[in-house]
Amino acid sequence: MSEVKLSTDGIRYIALFESITGATARDCLLDDDKNRVIFVVKTGDMGMAIGKNGEHVNKLVKSIGRHVEVVEYNDDPVIFIQNLLQPANANNIKIGYKGDKRIAYVEVKTKEKGLAIGRNGKNIEKVKVLAKRHHDIDDVTIQ
């Protein structure tokens, strides 16, 4: 597992997230280009993080003033990548090596490729950054 380094703002956002939701955040990724904050929560804390009818996420959006995304962590990189790709469904994920690089190959139905990649690649960018931060995966390829 890679070491996750948080910025001062990231630490502040995690403190705010945990006080509002009661869930434990493992990571906070600030994406200034897309005006969003992505929280990675402890396995099993997803429901608590979202809250009933999304009330915790809505409070966070009002407090932070940015779009908020929540992803559930998993020690298994395959399950973690599946969680990162939600709501797109990954049919098959294989992790292999190309030279000295660790790469995840993800099969997605043709109809869901756009959803997995996201507008201007924002979803796949999130997957690549968080897979690298948490599981030392150098690249993620959608097939």
Side-chain angles (χ1 to χ4, degrees), residues 10 13 20 32 36 40 47 50 55 69 78-79 91 111-112 115 117 119 122 125 130 136 143:
Y13 283 142
I20 288 174
D32 295 326
R36 66 182 174 172
V40 178
I50 294 169
E55 67 184 49
E69 293 181 29
V78 170
I79 295 171
N91 297 335
K111 289 191 289 189
E112 293 187 356
L115 186 59
I117 294 168
R119 183 173 302 222
K122 79 172 194 169
E125 178 185 312
L130 289 172
D136 255 343
Q143 298 176 322

Side-chain angles (χ1 to χ4, degrees), residues 103-133:
I103 300 175
Y105 298 96
V106 181
E107 284 181 28
V108 177
K109 289 181 185 168
T110 307
K111 289 191 289 189
E112 293 187 356
K113 277 189 181 178
L115 186 59
I117 294 168
R119 183 173 302 222
N120 297 324
K122 79 172 194 169
N123 293 344
I124 192 65
E125 178 185 312
K126 167 184 77 174
V127 173
K128 287 179 179 187
V129 169
L130 289 172
K132 177 68 176 167
R133 279 172 76 127

Side-chain angles (χ1 to χ4, degrees), residues 62-121:
K62 286 179 184 160
S63 298
I64 295 172
R66 294 175 166 207
H67 181 71
V68 173
E69 293 181 29
V70 183
V71 178
E72 188 171 29
Y73 177 78
N74 198 292
D75 287 328
D76 182 343
V78 170
I79 295 171
F80 185 56
I81 291 171
Q82 285 175 333
N83 292 345
L84 287 167
L85 285 167
Q86 290 294 332
N89 293 311
N91 297 335
N92 191 10
I93 299 174
K94 288 191 171 91
I95 297 176
Y97 289 88
K98 193 173 192 178
D100 60 347
K101 300 226 185 260
R102 192 169 180 214
I103 300 175
Y105 298 96
V106 181
E107 284 181 28
V108 177
K109 289 181 185 168
T110 307
K111 289 191 289 189
E112 293 187 356
K113 277 189 181 178
L115 186 59
I117 294 168
R119 183 173 302 222
N120 297 324

